[in-house]
Amino acid sequence: MSTPTRRAASSATGVLALAVALTLVLVPAAIWPATRVSAVLTATALAVLAPLVGVRWHRPPRPGPWLAVSAMLACWLVALALATSAPTTGVVVQTVGIAVALGLFGVLFGRQRRGGPDERRRTRRETWGRRTDQLVVAAVVVLAVAQSVAAAMAPGVPWATSVAPFDLVLICLLLRFAASRADLGPSMRLLLAGGVGAAAYDCLSSADGVRLPGPQAGTGVLWTAAVCLFVAGSLHPDMRTAFTGARLSRLRSESARLLGLTPLVLVPVALWLVDDAGHLPTTAYLGAAAVVGALAIVRGAQTIRGSEQQARQDPLTGLANRRGLRIAFDDLVPPGTPDDVVVGRLAVLDVDDFKHVNDTYGHETGDRLLVAVSLRLAAAVGERGTVARSGGDEFVLLLPPDGVGVPEVIASAFRAPVVLDRGPTDRALPVRCSAGWVDLTGASELPLALADADVALYTSKGATRGAATRFATAQREEVLGQLSLGADLRRLVAGEPDAGQLVLLYQPLVALPSRVVQGCEALVRWAHPGRGLLGPDTFLPVAEELGHGADVDAWVLREACAAAQAWPDPTWTVSVNLGRSTMSDLRLADRVRRVLADTGLDPHRLHLEITEHDQLPADAGVQTLRELAAAGVGVSLDDFGAGYTSVAYLQRYPVSVLKLDRSITGPDAAGALLSGLVGLAGALGISVLAEGWRPTSSAPGWPGWASTPARGRCSAARSPATS
């Protein structure tokens, strides 16, 4: 247990001991008539001071409510002191204290916390339930007002009797509030218990026709116990957050709140018992009890209906879940539909690169993005279609045969970036979604249709992301092969020997025109036991999708640095590619420094290459690569001119080498374009490396040696050249 936690626990224990001591001393003293007056006044005075001491001691961020508690109790202390000598003035002061108490009561029910989209949707779903709760409260308040008015108009009845019904309703409302809130904490619960005791004291006194009993009255015992609870609640360490909106507005489950109506259901019976003089006819209480009971039944039905709706809805987005999807599917494909009749389409959509949104901006931003995507899909599908969230970032569409097509849905929903409010400025996130879809006929079954659409989705992700692919039988064999490769990759990362091994090939980087080797680029291959030597384009996308891309990059980095340290020329550099997952890793700088320290490689001999096959988030790896560049590590921009080529990368990252893709350095390369790129790089102080040049003979300084398979082997199959 940490020191602050032990300190808080010790403080709470001390407050509890103080409250028990006060109760054991003052309550027995209040029972004894000779010491009752001093015990009642002493306990009340301590209750007045306790909130002030608590504010001074615990420093709550909102001390106003606690100062109001102290003012309320101070008014009641003055009223008790004037009960005998100046009762009229005492009643006035007591009324002021009651007004302050009503203000505090409004704070309890009025503090609300602004919630996220999911909380607002849940609030809308519970609107009718809250309206029913309010009707129950209104019914018992109307009955209490009617009884109070009848008592006040009855001849020969003390006017104080008319106050008792309100005290009784107040007790029930406090109990209802305590039962409906999920995280009040010990301080607020002690205050509520004290409020119930004070209201019960006032109710008993008013029912006897006495508006302001003096401290010598027998009910002073109950009052003393109530103010002791006020003392404990005001001094408890939890008082610091007792009046915050997060504590007061957090509700219990619907079933618990339904049980919390029990005190209000009993109000008509309690008011009938208090009305021993029969100011209202018995039928009024029976009618009120019937109304409250009927409303409680309606409230229960609303709770059950809400539970049934939530069982069919996704809690985050409000869309249909798997159960809701099954219901919509059965409605679209009813029994008896001919097998050869197309009745609609089922599409499975997946938000591309959603994992990187979570990794870069956090899961809260990811959730808000899913909510925004769900709203756009629902608008694009229209009322005749169904949108479901099957889990994570995957959505399912059910579309009628004459409705909008799947490609049109994607184009409409994701034409513009999604704008999310992330503080002082808005951030626009471009969203791309891949989809696979299949026609539904009378012979379709939901599990099989989902499987076929998943296969088509997998095909979309493997080919052109952001597109919608219709299912074809030939896709299944290809997808099954990719799934098998993914399973083998998991076993490879886990270190299972029968999954093959990763090997490195080193291609030289040759300077022109001297043709002297200046370094090598490490290229990873997978020696698969059944498929032979696999290139990176075959398995690295699978590794990224499965979350193992960073693991493969880490292995390549360590093996390449260890191999470079053993090379015969200590000036040769080694270049290592960084995938998307590695670029987004906040611990990349620490890992690189650790590898350099373990292998003994000079940081100036290591070059890290940014690949442009995948679009990177705006701030991915920027600070990390700047730290490493400051330590001497080189940074290269690989395959410039292909993929997500962005000139902004040259400003964003500390690039020292620009590697032109072979697509713009081949035999048909435009000289003006190459000259312009070289000039641009020269203006920025960046070296240029052109891919695609093949030497006619071995370059000088390249011995053609090979290391052990664990380290990889060297190859001059493709030799980029510096220009």
Side-chain angles (χ1 to χ4, degrees), residues 202-246:
D202 195 58
C203 181
L204 293 175
S205 302
S206 298
D208 292 336
V210 180
R211 186 68 201 99
L212 183 61
Q216 72 282 353
T219 52
V221 178
L222 179 58
W223 174 262
T224 302
V227 293
C228 286
L229 292 172
F230 277 113
V231 172
S234 301
L235 297 179
H236 196 280
D238 186 66
M239 64 89 68
R240 191 176 186 277
T241 59
F243 281 98
T244 58

Side-chain angles (χ1 to χ4, degrees), residues 109 129 132-134 136-137 140 169-182 189 251-267 292 295-296 299-300 303:
F109 282 95
T132 305
D133 292 347
Q134 294 168 0
V136 173
V137 173
V140 297
V169 172
L170 178 61
I171 293 172
C172 295
L173 289 178
L174 290 175
L175 294 175
R176 159 70 176 164
F177 180 83
S180 63
R181 262 55 182 182
R189 294 190 183 280
L251 301 177
R252 291 185 182 272
S253 63
E254 285 293 290
S255 58
R257 294 173 60 202
L258 180 62
L259 290 175
L261 284 178
T262 303
L264 296 178
V265 173
L266 298 177
V267 167
V292 172
L295 289 174
R299 184 69 172 88
T303 301

Side-chain angles (χ1 to χ4, degrees), residues 327-412:
I327 296 173
F329 180 86
D330 292 340
D331 292 339
L332 187 62
V333 190
T337 304
D339 293 350
D340 58 346
V341 175
V342 176
V343 296
R345 293 180 295 274
L346 182 145
V348 176
L349 287 75
D350 186 86
V351 180
D352 295 333
D353 304 322
F354 178 74
K355 177 180 181 297
H356 303 294
V357 175
N358 279 338
D359 293 342
T360 305
Y361 304 113
H363 288 272
E364 182 178 353
T365 299
D367 288 345
R368 297 170 64 190
L369 178 61
L370 291 177
V371 172
V373 168
S374 68
L375 294 175
R376 290 196 177 189
L377 288 175
V381 167
E383 297 182 356
R384 298 182 58 199
T386 299
V387 184
R389 179 177 176 233
S390 58
D393 61 333
E394 189 172 272
F395 298 86
V396 180
L397 307 182
L398 284 177
L399 304 173
D402 56 345
V404 62
V406 178
E408 289 75 15
V409 169
I410 295 178
S412 173

Side-chain angles (χ1 to χ4, degrees), residues 346-644:
L346 182 145
V348 176
L349 287 75
D350 186 86
V351 180
D352 295 333
D353 304 322
F354 178 74
K355 177 180 181 297
H356 303 294
V357 175
N358 279 338
D359 293 342
T360 305
Y361 304 113
H363 288 272
E364 182 178 353
T365 299
D367 288 345
R368 297 170 64 190
L369 178 61
L370 291 177
V371 172
V373 168
S374 68
L375 294 175
R376 290 196 177 189
L377 288 175
V381 167
E383 297 182 356
R384 298 182 58 199
T386 299
V387 184
R389 179 177 176 233
S390 58
D393 61 333
E394 189 172 272
F395 298 86
V396 180
L397 307 182
L398 284 177
L399 304 173
D402 56 345
V404 62
V406 178
E408 289 75 15
V409 169
I410 295 178
S412 173
F414 306 109
R415 181 178 297 111
V418 175
V419 179
L420 298 178
D421 182 9
R422 300 186 65 250
T425 60
D426 292 342
R427 179 178 293 274
L429 296 180
V431 179
R432 190 177 55 179
C433 186
S434 301
W437 61 278
V438 62
D439 285 327
L440 298 177
T441 66
S444 298
E445 298 180 12
L446 180 58
L448 298 179
L450 287 172
D452 291 343
D454 269 328
V455 168
L457 169 64
Y458 203 88
T459 303
S460 293
K461 283 187 168 293
T464 304
R465 293 194 174 191
T469 302
R470 183 177 182 177
F471 171 75
T473 306
Q475 298 168 358
R476 183 174 283 111
E477 294 298 328
E478 179 182 355
V479 169
L480 290 178
Q482 290 294 317
L483 293 177
S484 175
L485 186 66
D488 292 342
L489 182 62
R490 291 190 183 94
R491 294 168 42 236
L492 175 69
V493 173
E496 299 184 16
D498 60 344
Q501 64 178 346
L502 295 176
V503 296
L504 290 182
L505 304 181
Y506 295 93
Q507 65 177 14
L509 308 178
V510 182
L512 293 180
S514 65
R515 297 189 178 183
V516 174
V517 174
Q518 294 186 337
C520 296
E521 179 181 357
L523 302 176
V524 65
R525 300 292 187 267
W526 180 7
H528 192 278
R531 305 189 186 195
L533 195 65
L534 301 180
D537 292 341
T538 302
F539 67 90
L540 284 184
V542 179
E544 286 287 343
E545 185 175 348
L546 296 178
H548 295 309
D551 297 328
V552 175
D553 288 349
W555 182 89
V556 173
L557 175 66
R558 180 168 292 276
E559 295 297 321
C561 289
Q565 183 63 12
W567 287 346
D569 191 332
T571 64
W572 286 351
T573 63
V574 61
S575 300
V576 177
N577 292 317
L578 300 181
R580 184 186 180 104
S581 298
T582 303
M583 286 290 294
S584 300
D585 187 359
L586 299 178
R587 298 171 295 177
L588 175 60
D590 293 336
R591 291 182 177 180
V592 172
R593 284 191 287 262
R594 188 181 308 114
V595 169
L596 292 174
D598 293 343
T599 60
L601 186 70
D602 188 339
H604 294 83
R605 296 184 59 193
L606 174 63
H607 280 209
L608 300 177
E609 297 195 356
I610 306 172
T611 60
E612 290 194 292
H613 297 142
D614 290 313
Q615 188 177 19
L616 297 174
D619 52 354
V622 174
Q623 186 60 35
T624 298
L625 292 182
R626 288 177 179 174
E627 292 179 11
L628 293 174
V633 177
V635 178
S636 303
L637 186 58
D638 194 15
D639 296 333
F640 189 81
Y644 290 92

